[in-house]
Amino acid sequence: MNQITIRPARAGDCDKLHDALVQLSTDIGDDHAASANDLLRHGFTGTPAFFALLAETPGKGDVVGALMASPLFSTTNAGVGLYVSDLWVSASTRGAGLGQRLLAAAVRHAEANWTVRFIKLTVYRDNPRAHAFYERLGFAEYSDETVLTLKGPALENLRKKQ
């Protein structure tokens, strides 16, 4: 497991990254609407909306893990947090610490630009293995926070406001 390397994804890795994220969506039964071109446009041109890391096997360079994260600034925490939107580890490498290594690598990667004060992520309620994994690392649910999302027609209505 220690021979698996973790590195920042580059524009030329969009197909590999996309394949890993499709597998994540398949594993958790989620919809997958983003394309490799979406990843390229939003993560590797202009002002990137996210950064991504790939975990690869030695030799062939097969992708066995991936992480996507975006910075967010918190006045409450007096610094930058990472919102981890996607974390995937292949079934063949689960249980060997790669998920924790990817999270640690994300913090180190982000700290080239920011002082990271926290990590935030969401987990589906029907994914007990993921809950257990994050709780073992010390992630905690905060009862005074509620995640709200605005999308679809409501987002379009807001976009039209002046």
Side-chain angles (χ1 to χ4, degrees), residues 82-161:
L82 291 181
Y83 176 70
V84 176
S85 58
D86 297 284
L87 174 59
W88 172 75
V89 173
S90 70
S92 64
T93 55
R94 286 184 195 140
L98 184 56
Q100 183 173 352
R101 286 182 58 205
L102 279 161
L103 287 165
V107 171
R108 287 191 302 274
H109 178 80
E111 286 184 331
N113 296 304
W114 314 290
T115 300
V116 176
R117 302 264 188 229
F118 62 99
I119 298 174
K120 189 171 261 199
L121 49 79
T122 58
V123 181
Y124 290 130
R125 294 191 193 286
D126 65 350
N127 192 343
R129 289 186 64 197
H131 276 270
F133 166 71
Y134 292 120
E135 287 171 2
R136 280 193 305 274
L137 294 179
F139 282 82
E141 189 173 331
Y142 288 89
S143 61
D144 59 336
E145 292 183 358
T146 301
V147 176
L148 302 174
T149 303
L150 184 71
K151 62 183 182 177
L155 177 59
E156 293 309 313
N157 286 337
L158 179 64
R159 190 174 273 132
K160 295 173 188 172
K161 303 292 182 194

Side-chain angles (χ1 to χ4, degrees), residues 1-66:
M1 177 60 69
N2 289 335
Q3 294 180 351
I4 292 173
T5 59
I6 298 173
R7 65 171 179 84
R10 299 177 292 268
D13 294 318
C14 283
D15 287 334
K16 285 182 175 184
L17 178 59
H18 180 257
D19 291 346
L21 298 176
V22 166
Q23 188 59 55
L24 170 62
S25 296
T26 300
D27 289 351
I28 63 175
D30 209 355
D31 293 333
H32 188 88
S35 68
N37 285 336
D38 292 327
L39 297 175
L40 179 63
R41 176 176 175 236
H42 295 290
F44 300 97
T45 59
T47 303
F50 66 86
F51 69 86
L53 303 176
L54 295 175
E56 298 173 320
T57 60
K60 291 180 15 180
D62 293 332
V63 174
V64 293

